[in-house]
């Protein structure tokens, strides 16, 4: 009798908790997710329509100019070329330093109008020696290349770029190109970008597109390609065409030195120093141009550990920057209210905050909770998890047609990653611990290069040792495994007691969480 009485009391207590706390909170979360989903849907639909119009205009323009020469910029007199500085920031880039320096030194530009600056913050003395020797080798061929090494890493990449611009030998440079160590531009990179800056003194930045040389390395790189193709094909295109503003990608871009100085130069107050500079320059009235037809070869992180660190930085930094610049943007009087609204609402709030939070809340918390608590007590509008999501997914997939068949993997993978991105976003908004954590993304040297045998042997030996250490010290990812267990429980519960067949999605999502949690994503 006592056991029955206790069970009855427990059930009564649960019913009280269910109807006074759980159900109202879950319904509120559903309405909140619906509102955020519609915000994201409206923004994506608007950008999709703009890109369609741009594509049609481009086709008409290309048709009308088919028989006209468009290589005037390539045939300019060398005497008219401005002084250009190329900055290559590095940190222990053993695998890629040679190809990056070689690509920069191979740019088609008058030798007396080009300065290559290798900003090496390496802490490994052996790597420093290799990079310095490579610079001396190119200097011996007549290239104006300078090797710079700091005694400390103050400010990380932003600090290195800032210090590089202070050197006396760059005072005459009118433009500066930034190329990360894993980026390899074509020889005509400057010939396609610098003339755009020369033609319009109001343009501060020309950003080129990234082309991924290792996209086919594993399924992790294929999924990254899908996300980044959307960023370049849609977000950057729309920002450039409609607002003259988009986020500088930190590399593969050419800046007007005067505009960079006018915006306050490089700052290291967040982990997205490139975005910080872009927003400040935009608020000073400068315009940006995105050159989709200029592509620079680059690498994608192929290990999940490197990818996680990168995504933490890319999610935490923008949220932290929004916190720091919100009132500064609101009070700005140099740009229109329309541009300020675009930067604060579309660029920061919707793309950098809402996109991460709604994905995690809806697909990893609300839908599983609905499977447990739902029924007649909670209403989940079908357009939220199905129709809106389907349109968003199709808009993203349209940018990478060759990977459409991978959507079945991409969707649950992005949902699992939203947990890390949401956590990083909240850390950035609150400026909590890890808000300023900077971890350099590991590069594995995926370029086709002719590295000398001695250097290759040394690299191979060190890479083997590193791999052995990584394998012996590898560990499971507890957050993903816990998420997988929770989703699996919700799926089984819905399979037995539910009526909406949510278990089909929940089983797939739990499997994705387990695959990632047990380390079966990325290069092994």
């Amino acid at each position: 009798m006592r056991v029955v009485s206790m069970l009855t009391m427990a059930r009564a207590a649960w019913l009280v908790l269910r109807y006074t706390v759980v159900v109202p909170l879950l319904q509120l979360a559903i309405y909140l997710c619906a509102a955020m989903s519609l915000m994201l849907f409206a923004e994506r639909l608007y950008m999709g329509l703009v890109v369609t119009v741009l594509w049609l205009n481009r086709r008409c323009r290309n048709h009308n100019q088919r028989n006209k020469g468009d290589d005037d910029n390539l045939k300019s007199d060398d005497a008219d070329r401005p002084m250009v500085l190329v900055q290559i920031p590095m940190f222990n880039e053993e695998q890629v330093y040679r190809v990056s320096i070689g690509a920069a030194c191979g740019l088609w530009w008058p030798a007396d109008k080009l300065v290559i600056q290798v900003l090496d913050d390496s802490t490994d003395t052996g790597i420093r020696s290799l990079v310095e020797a490579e610079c001396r080798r190119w200097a011996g061929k007549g290239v104006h290349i300078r090797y710079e090494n700091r005694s400390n890493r103050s400010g990380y990449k932003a600090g290195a770029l800032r210090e590089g611009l202070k050197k006396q030998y760059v005072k005459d440079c009118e433009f500066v190109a930034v190329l990360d160590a894993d980026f390899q531009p074509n020889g005509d990179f400057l010939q396609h970008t610098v003339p755009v800056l020369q033609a319009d003194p109001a343009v501060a930045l020309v950003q080129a597109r990234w082309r991924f040389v290792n996209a086919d390395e594993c399924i992790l790189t294929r999924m990254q390609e899908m996300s980044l193709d959307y960023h370049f094909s849609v977000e950057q295109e729309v920002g450039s065409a409609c607002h003259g503003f988009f986020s500088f990608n930190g590399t593969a871009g050419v800046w007007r030195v005067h505009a960079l100085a006018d915006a306050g130069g490089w700052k290291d107050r967040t982990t997205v120093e490139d975005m910080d500079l872009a927003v400040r320059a935009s608020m000073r009235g400068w315009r940006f141009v995105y050159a989709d037809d200029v592509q620079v070869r680059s690498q994608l992180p192929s290990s999940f550990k490197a990818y996680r660190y990168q995504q933490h930085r890319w999610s935490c930094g923008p949220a932290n920057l929004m916190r720091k610049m919100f009132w500064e943007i609101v009070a700005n009087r140099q740009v229109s209210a329309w541009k300020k609204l675009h930067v604060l609402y579309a660029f920061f709030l919707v793309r950098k905050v809402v996109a991460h939070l709604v994905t995690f809340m809806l697909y990893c918390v609300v839908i599983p909770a609905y499977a447990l608590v739902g029924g007649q007590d909670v209403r989940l509008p079908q357009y939220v998890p199905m129709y809106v999501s389907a349109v968003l997914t199709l808009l993203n997939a349209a940018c990478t047609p060759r990977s459409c068949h991978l959507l079945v993997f991409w969707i649950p993978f992005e949902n699992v990653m939203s947990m890390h991105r949401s956590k990083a976003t909240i850390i950035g908004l609150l400026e909590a611990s890890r808000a300023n954590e900077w971890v350099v993304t590991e590069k594995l040297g995926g370029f086709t290069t002719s590295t000398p045998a001695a250097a290759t042997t040394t690299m191979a030996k060190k890479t083997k040792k590193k791999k052995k250490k990584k394998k012996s010290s590898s560990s499971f990812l507890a957050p993903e495994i816990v998420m997988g267990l929770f989703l699996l429980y919700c799926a089984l519960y819905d399979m037995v007691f539910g009526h909406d067949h949510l278990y089909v999605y929940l089983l797939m999502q739990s499997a994705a969480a387990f695959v990632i949690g047990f380390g079966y994503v990325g290069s092994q």
Side-chain angles (χ1 to χ4, degrees):
M1 289 293 292
R2 181 176 294 180
V3 174
V4 174
S5 176
M6 289 179 64
L7 290 174
T8 303
M9 291 176 61
R11 178 174 175 77
W14 160 244
L15 290 175
V16 171
L17 183 66
R18 172 191 174 96
Y19 289 108
T20 58
V21 178
V22 177
V23 169
L25 283 179
L26 181 57
Q27 191 65 68
L28 178 63
I30 289 174
Y31 288 145
L32 182 60
C33 287
M36 290 193 292
S37 296
L38 291 175
M39 289 168 64
L40 191 60
F41 174 78
E43 173 67 11
R44 293 281 179 92
L45 190 60
Y46 156 73
M47 290 194 293
L49 292 173
V50 171
V51 165
T52 303
V53 172
L54 291 174
W55 180 76
L56 292 173
N57 286 340
R58 191 177 292 124
R59 286 204 64 177
C60 292
R61 188 167 61 249
N62 290 341
H63 177 74
N64 293 333
Q65 296 179 350
R66 186 169 297 170
N67 297 320
K68 295 181 181 180
D70 59 353
D71 294 330
D72 294 339
N73 289 335
L74 302 181
K75 298 176 181 177
S76 299
D77 187 0
D78 284 353
D80 298 331
R81 304 286 192 186
M83 283 287 293
V84 177
L85 170 70
V86 177
Q87 291 185 307
I88 310 174
M90 291 188 176
F91 176 71
N92 293 336
E93 307 291 0
E94 182 180 18
Q95 304 291 341
V96 295
Y97 76 92
R98 176 174 286 271
V99 289
S100 61
I101 293 174
C105 293
L107 290 170
W108 303 340
W109 204 254
D112 60 331
K113 300 290 184 71
L114 183 65
V115 181
I116 310 295
Q117 189 181 63
V118 178
L119 304 167
D120 186 17
D121 276 0
S122 298
T123 53
D124 187 308
T125 55
I127 297 175
R128 275 209 310 266
S129 299
L130 289 172
V131 176
E132 190 171 9
E134 182 68 9
C135 292
R136 284 199 303 269
R137 189 172 75 86
W138 280 102
K141 295 181 178 182
V143 177
H144 187 184
I145 183 169
R146 294 297 188 98
Y147 174 82
E148 302 290 348
N149 178 256
R150 300 189 298 165
S151 58
N152 60 72
R153 292 188 66 211
S154 174
Y156 302 106
K157 178 182 175 180
L161 294 169
R162 183 172 58 236
E163 291 300 315
L165 289 173
K166 294 179 182 178
K167 302 300 179 181
Q168 188 62 37
Y169 58 84
V170 304
K171 295 300 181 184
D172 295 329
C173 293
E174 190 176 347
F175 304 107
V176 54
V178 181
L179 295 169
D180 280 357
D182 55 329
F183 279 72
Q184 189 179 15
N186 291 331
D188 58 358
F189 171 70
L190 294 178
Q191 293 177 319
H192 283 294
T193 52
V194 172
V196 178
L197 292 159
Q198 288 181 287
D200 189 346
V203 173
L205 164 70
V206 176
Q207 172 71 60
R209 179 171 181 151
W210 300 358
R211 182 164 66 83
F212 312 110
V213 297
N214 66 331
D216 293 324
E217 183 174 341
C218 59
I219 195 169
L220 174 62
T221 53
R222 288 290 292 273
M223 290 187 289
Q224 289 178 69
E225 181 192 37
M226 293 174 69
S227 300
L228 287 171
D229 274 351
Y230 178 83
H231 167 71
F232 284 107
S233 300
V234 178
E235 293 178 348
Q236 300 294 73
E237 280 274 20
V238 173
S240 176
C242 297
H243 309 282
F245 166 77
F246 48 83
S247 178
F248 174 43
N249 294 118
T251 180
V254 183
W255 278 89
R256 187 185 302 274
V257 173
H258 171 64
L260 200 154
D262 182 61
W266 292 101
K267 294 185 179 180
D268 54 11
R269 56 181 177 173
T270 69
T271 57
V272 283
E273 71 293 323
D274 43 10
M275 185 182 295
D276 187 354
L277 176 60
V279 174
R280 283 185 282 114
S282 178
M283 291 299 105
R284 294 286 294 172
W286 292 97
R287 293 191 298 106
F288 307 156
V289 172
Y290 173 62
D292 183 70
D293 56 332
V294 182
Q295 300 188 358
V296 179
R297 297 185 296 279
S298 64
Q299 283 191 64
L300 293 164
S302 57
S303 73
F304 187 67
K305 180 181 178 182
Y307 180 64
R308 278 183 68 189
Y309 278 125
Q310 182 198 69
Q311 292 303 299
H312 174 86
R313 192 170 74 246
W314 287 4
S315 302
C316 178
N320 191 231
L321 181 61
M322 184 178 75
R323 170 195 169 103
K324 284 180 163 66
M325 292 199 68
F326 182 84
W327 293 114
E328 182 181 337
I329 296 172
V330 170
N332 185 282
R333 295 184 178 181
Q334 292 183 264
V335 298
S336 66
W338 170 245
K339 190 166 189 176
K340 288 192 287 186
L341 179 65
H342 166 72
V343 173
L344 287 175
Y345 174 77
F347 179 75
F348 274 125
L349 180 63
V350 176
R351 298 184 208 167
K352 309 302 181 185
V353 177
V354 167
H356 301 324
L357 296 182
V358 70
T359 304
F360 175 65
M361 283 183 60
L362 180 59
Y363 298 105
C364 301
V365 178
V366 168
I367 291 179
Y370 176 79
L372 294 177
V373 181
Q376 301 298 319
D377 303 320
V378 181
R379 180 174 175 269
L380 177 63
Q382 292 298 312
Y383 70 85
V384 177
M386 295 191 62
Y387 308 125
V388 170
S389 302
V391 173
L392 294 178
T393 302
L394 290 174
L395 287 173
N396 195 99
C399 298
T400 317
R402 79 186 191 100
S403 298
C404 284
H405 62 288
L406 295 177
L407 282 175
V408 68
F409 302 107
W410 181 79
I411 293 170
F413 173 78
E414 286 292 300
N415 290 345
V416 174
M417 284 305 302
S418 69
M419 175 175 63
H420 299 291
R421 294 181 182 129
S422 297
K423 176 185 174 183
T425 299
I426 293 170
I427 288 173
L429 289 172
L430 301 178
E431 205 162 17
S433 61
R434 291 191 67 195
N436 294 309
E437 180 183 68
W438 181 274
V439 179
V440 176
T441 304
E442 180 184 19
K443 291 96 175 177
L444 300 179
F447 295 122
T448 53
T449 121
S450 55
T451 306
T456 306
T457 306
T458 305
M459 290 178 189
K461 287 179 180 176
K462 289 189 176 181
T463 305
K464 269 189 177 180
K465 288 180 181 178
K466 285 179 183 176
K467 283 183 178 178
K468 286 181 181 177
K469 286 181 182 178
K470 283 182 181 178
K471 284 184 179 179
S472 62
S473 62
S474 62
S475 57
F476 300 131
L477 301 174
E480 284 84 353
I481 295 175
V482 171
M483 177 193 285
L485 291 171
F486 169 66
L487 293 169
L488 179 60
Y489 174 76
C490 294
L492 295 176
Y493 185 90
D494 184 71
M495 194 180 297
V496 177
F497 301 105
H499 304 285
D500 296 318
H501 300 93
L502 291 174
Y503 65 85
V504 177
Y505 157 74
L506 293 171
L507 286 174
M508 290 177 58
Q509 192 60 64
S510 65
F514 284 132
V515 168
I516 295 174
F518 286 106
Y520 290 104
V521 171
S523 298
Q524 300 298 318

